Amino acid sequence: MSDAIATGSEVQVQAQAKVNLRLRVLEREPGGYHQLESIFLRIALADLVRVRVLPSGRSLDCAGPAMPAAGLGRVEDNLAWRAAAAYAEASGWPRGFAIAIEKHIPVGGGLGGGSADAGAVLRALDAIAPHPLGDQALAALAFTLGSDVPFLASRLTSAIGRGRGERLEPLPAPPARPLVLVIPPFAVNTGEAYGWVAAARAAGALPMHADPPLDARALGRWDALARVAANDFEPVVATRHPEITAAVRALRDAGATIAMMSGSGSTVFGVFEGPPPALALPTEFRVVRTSS
Ligand code: C5P
């Protein structure tokens, strides 16, 4: 099954963002990367990704309401470009591509925007390839692009991610709920945030959690998800940016059943049982209403 809308050599895919309902940073591998235990949940907020297959040439155009004024840097460094290049390298097709992305997902905010675009490009190409690679090969390719890409390249609504995020265990999708994203006026560098976790651990300020194993069958319910909701990045980022604590408090005060930071931040999200009320927050925070 594919969510791609294809017409000849062109295909359009929704690149949905994710939130992490749980993000435990575990052992540091000898190479410096950390093992993770994550719960990913796809949300309605999405970029729109169009991929055109060409006889030659490569291009990437990004526009849309979430484009940062400073742009997105060199196209060759963009994860969506790298996904298409990796696909072409792995399968010998296509020779050329033109990618157009309409950005709606805030950039650099822990919502997996760049990874979602990369995952969408992989799905798009495989939907129109003369010899599709298939889901397994696509997942392996996704893992070479980053920890969030295997989940976002999949069609899962929710999953536990282990290893560096590539070992996915599907979860039953919880019922759709209103979600409010609070985006503080700063971004967090992911590599730096891992360094803060490691430093806090070394100083004995952040325990290495030894929680009971997650029971996937129970995690299709919001009350069960709320009990395991935790993010190891949240305390170390909040120490440096008190705005995180303010955003979590505002969401809780407004009745959110879960209020926490996503990924390495800086986005904080709240899950609501009904229509969310207005939030009491300074105007420098951007508020985006969406749903799971
Ligand atoms: O995946 P991404 O390129 O955003 O990671 C940035 C940095 O975060 C890595 O270079 C690494 O230092 C750190 N990282 C880590 N463990 C992971 C993922 C990232 O330590 N599982």
Side-chain angles (χ1 to χ4, degrees):
M1 229 182 56
S2 167
D3 60 340
I5 301 170
T7 44
S9 61
E10 182 164 344
V11 57
Q12 183 172 302
V13 186
Q14 291 262 336
Q16 283 175 273
K18 59 84 187 168
V19 290
N20 301 90
L21 289 164
R22 179 178 175 84
L23 186 43
R24 285 286 190 228
V25 179
L26 306 174
E27 292 78 23
R28 191 168 174 274
E29 300 169 3
Y33 275 82
H34 291 76
Q35 295 280 299
L36 305 171
E37 182 185 73
S38 172
I39 297 180
F40 294 110
L41 177 71
R42 220 177 260 276
I43 65 172
L45 181 69
D47 291 343
L48 191 62
V49 176
R50 286 194 200 87
V51 182
R52 218 151 30 98
V53 170
L54 303 171
S56 66
R58 293 177 171 191
S59 68
L60 170 70
D61 283 306
C62 296
M67 264 300 279
L72 288 174
R74 281 179 359 128
V75 285
E76 293 84 355
D77 296 332
N78 188 289
L79 266 187
W81 170 290
R82 287 172 47 207
Y87 190 99
E89 173 84 22
S91 79
W93 177 95
R95 281 209 289 250
F97 56 78
I99 303 170
I101 303 180
E102 201 177 285
K103 294 289 307 169
H104 295 271
I105 306 171
V107 173
L111 297 170
S115 302
D117 296 343
V121 164
L122 295 179
R123 282 203 310 280
L125 286 172
D126 221 42
I128 55 166
H131 304 288
L133 291 176
D135 286 352
Q136 258 192 355
L138 223 53
L141 209 54
F143 182 42
T144 67
L145 297 164
S147 291
D148 292 336
V149 189
F151 174 70
L152 291 165
S154 80
R155 281 178 288 273
L156 299 171
T157 302
S158 178
I160 301 173
R162 298 189 176 89
R164 283 191 212 163
E166 82 286 7
R167 278 173 30 223
L168 294 172
E169 181 177 5
L171 292 178
R177 283 270 173 96
L179 234 79
V180 176
L181 310 175
V182 177
I183 300 145
F186 58 87
V188 176
N189 177 291
T190 302
E192 225 173 333
Y194 275 102
W196 296 340
V197 169
R201 288 254 163 81
L206 184 72
M208 178 72 83
H209 298 276
D211 306 319
L214 295 175
D215 176 6
R217 286 163 311 171
L219 293 176
R221 294 168 48 114
W222 282 107
D223 55 349
L225 288 166
R227 280 195 291 276
V228 297
N231 183 341
D232 282 341
F233 286 114
E234 193 173 312
V236 298
V237 175
T239 298
R240 287 149 182 98
H241 296 288
E243 294 93 332
I244 299 294
T245 311
V248 169
R249 192 172 304 130
L251 286 162
R252 288 235 169 88
D253 289 349
T257 53
I258 297 175
M260 63 189 291
M261 201 177 75
S262 183
S264 58
S266 59
T267 300
V268 173
F269 67 95
V271 179
F272 289 82
E273 284 180 348
L279 298 180
L281 274 172
T283 50
E284 65 261 30
F285 290 85
R286 208 152 67 75
V287 175
V288 176
R289 286 158 189 271
T290 179
S291 64
S292 62

